[in-house]
Amino acid sequence: MLSATQLLENLLDRARGLTATETVDITAALGRVLAAPQISSLTVPPLDNSAMDGYAVRMVDVAQAGARLPVSQRILAGVVGESLLPGTAARIFTGAPVPPGADAVLMQEDCTADGEDVVINKLPRMGENIRRAGEDIKAGAQILAAGTRFGAAEMGLAASVGLASLPVFKRLKVACFFTGDELVTPGAHLAPGQIYNSNRYTLTGLINDLGCELIDLGIVPDTLEATEAMLARAAREADVVITSGGVSVGEADYVKAAVEKLGQVEMWKVAMKPGKPVVFGQVEHADFIGLPGNPVSAFVTFCLFVRPFLLKRMGVADVLYRAYAVQADFAWTRPGARREFLRASRQPDGKLALFPNQSSGVLTSCAWADGLVDLGIGETVQPGDWVRFIPFSELLA
Ligand code: AMP
Ligand code: MG
């Protein structure tokens, strides 16, 4: 049996990053992966500017509280004022360039406007309320590294230096299908013995959230012929094929046999709960990953292993999740023979509660939880102990 750590290493070893790139308009960059580092040609902010609505002054003119200065100009955001006349103040607004000669901005709450004059009620500190040119970005600096995934902040950062289009990796094509004679699509009648195909919605949701191009091939019956035919089609259309179910060693489990017939396969039994068997292989030019059918196992193994694999395939540089030490508010007294990933949620006091039913069929636990407690082999927990917690913010999207 492989350890969970070895499984992740094996998968990442086999993940070849995409090389094909395209240029997209910045408005279409959300969720895409940057293919080349981006250097700023600009300094941001371009000029020293005011952090407040108030008055720009020379320090030498406001040596004492109560100083009264005539207001010699008004500077709004978007215009450049003139050099500040000695012995005067400039009315200034947030974001407006600080005029040459001024060395502090007083917020208007600390001043009293009196006709054409302003009275300074509080002495400023040197440089107060001035945002310095280049305090965010210097011209020539790298603002984004290759392999960065574009979230909202990265979009804004690229826009702040005027980038209108961006080189990104082509979208990774991921095909998926779901094996099981018992599966029915929501909307259709459920006969005795059948269940709804929940993995389709969990896994396609996860794949879509990563920004992959999804090819959803639906349900495949438990026969070798059907599995083989769908696998061949999926491998033609996609870079990566992902399936759920049919990877145990039951009589109706044909996934491994189909991959074996059409390509190469490695079967990995993983020493973890939930989710023992994971199948990896190649069919034509596509990578294949077969996940367990149990809904919680499929969800957890996708988050822990398939997500980093897909991210690396997409060209993302930083694909590993982090775990944090968090205090438990539960007891775990049955030491397991396998590493366990327990569905848990942070309470308002910051401590972790466990979902009461940790069975790999109970999908409610995943919707309820906000992360996974990572318990080592033989580990037990008492309330107040610190445990390894992987929040879903590290595992989803
Ligand atoms: P299998 O790995 O095919 O033996 O399936 C293991 C368990 O997961 C069985 O109880 C299946 O009914 C269930 N299962 C398999 N595929 C799905 C699916 N797509 N949605 C919900 N449950 C599934
Ligand atoms: Mg099955």
Side-chain angles (χ1 to χ4, degrees):
M1 278 223 236
L2 279 187
S3 72
T5 308
Q6 285 166 326
L7 171 64
L8 183 59
E9 278 171 14
N10 283 1
L11 279 170
L12 291 180
D13 275 351
R14 288 157 180 77
R16 306 154 281 135
L18 281 179
T19 50
T21 63
E22 60 187 325
T23 299
V24 295
D25 191 89
I26 184 174
T27 54
L30 191 66
R32 302 300 296 268
V33 183
L34 195 58
Q38 298 300 300
I39 310 295
S40 176
S41 60
L42 304 178
T43 292
V44 181
L47 299 169
D48 286 358
N49 68 91
S50 178
M52 291 284 174
D53 292 339
Y55 295 86
V57 296
R58 292 171 182 266
M59 289 296 285
V60 291
D61 295 334
V62 289
Q64 288 165 7
R68 168 183 286 268
L69 300 172
V71 177
S72 55
Q73 60 177 318
R74 258 169 83 83
I75 311 171
L76 295 158
V79 298
V80 176
E82 282 150 20
S83 261
L84 184 62
L85 287 175
T88 74
R91 182 72 170 118
I92 194 164
F93 297 92
T94 305
V98 173
D103 40 30
V105 170
L106 278 155
M107 55 190 238
Q108 61 193 22
E109 289 81 350
D110 292 336
C111 307
T112 311
D114 182 15
E116 305 291 290
D117 297 344
V118 60
V119 178
I120 311 304
N121 301 323
K122 202 176 139 197
L123 289 183
R125 281 176 291 108
M126 187 61 146
E128 194 168 349
N129 294 323
I130 297 179
R131 302 191 289 214
R132 293 298 173 189
E135 76 173 15
D136 187 358
I137 300 162
K138 307 256 184 311
Q142 177 176 305
I143 54 159
L144 292 163
T148 301
R149 259 201 312 165
F150 268 75
E154 288 75 16
M155 298 278 284
L157 187 58
S160 74
V161 303
L163 297 173
S165 61
L166 295 156
V168 296
F169 291 111
K170 286 243 158 102
R171 263 147 63 98
L172 188 72
K173 288 187 197 153
V174 180
C176 52
F177 62 87
F178 310 91
T179 72
D181 283 339
E182 72 279 33
L183 301 179
V184 173
T185 300
H189 172 72
L190 204 60
Q194 295 182 318
I195 58 168
Y196 283 118
N197 177 11
S198 63
N199 286 348
R200 177 189 191 184
Y201 301 86
T202 314
L203 294 176
T204 58
L206 290 164
I207 294 164
N208 273 325
D209 275 351
L210 286 178
C212 299
E213 194 178 316
L214 174 72
I215 304 166
D216 177 2
L217 299 171
I219 297 168
V220 174
D222 287 321
T223 67
L224 182 58
E225 298 70 41
T227 309
E228 222 182 289
M230 193 58 97
L231 183 61
R233 176 175 163 202
R236 268 198 310 275
E237 294 180 19
D239 302 308
V240 180
V241 180
I242 294 171
T243 64
S244 83
V247 291
S248 326
V249 281
E251 277 174 25
D253 294 323
Y254 296 106
V255 168
K256 181 171 169 254
V259 182
E260 226 154 31
K261 244 183 115 177
L262 300 180
Q264 299 88 46
V265 70
E266 297 174 78
M267 174 89 171
W268 291 322
K269 287 226 172 68
V270 194
M272 63 175 274
K273 253 173 102 178
K276 263 184 291 181
V278 172
V279 173
F280 180 82
Q282 261 93 35
V283 177
E284 309 283 339
H285 296 293
D287 291 322
F288 174 87
I289 301 177
L291 297 178
N294 278 311
V296 175
S297 309
F299 175 78
V300 170
T301 51
F302 185 99
C303 292
L304 293 173
F305 309 110
V306 182
R307 178 181 174 276
F309 175 85
L310 291 179
L311 287 174
K312 191 167 173 206
R313 286 288 269 112
M314 290 161 64
V316 174
D318 179 16
V319 303
L320 293 177
Y321 43 81
R322 284 157 294 191
Y324 298 92
V326 180
Q327 253 182 317
D329 195 25
F330 62 86
W332 188 262
T333 50
R334 299 165 282 157
R338 290 183 270 157
R339 190 159 160 192
E340 256 182 276
F341 294 91
L342 305 170
R343 272 72 64 216
S345 180
R346 263 165 307 198
Q347 305 172 136
D349 65 2
K351 292 184 184 169
L352 290 166
L354 274 192
F355 192 76
N357 187 339
Q358 293 287 329
S359 154
S360 62
V362 176
L363 199 48
T364 309
S365 67
C366 297
W368 174 89
D370 63 13
L372 301 173
V373 170
D374 174 4
L375 275 190
I377 294 168
E379 204 176 320
T380 57
V381 179
Q382 289 304 319
D385 286 355
W386 293 84
V387 296
R388 280 166 55 82
F389 180 66
I390 313 168
F392 281 157
S393 57
E394 293 286 325
L395 295 174
L396 302 177

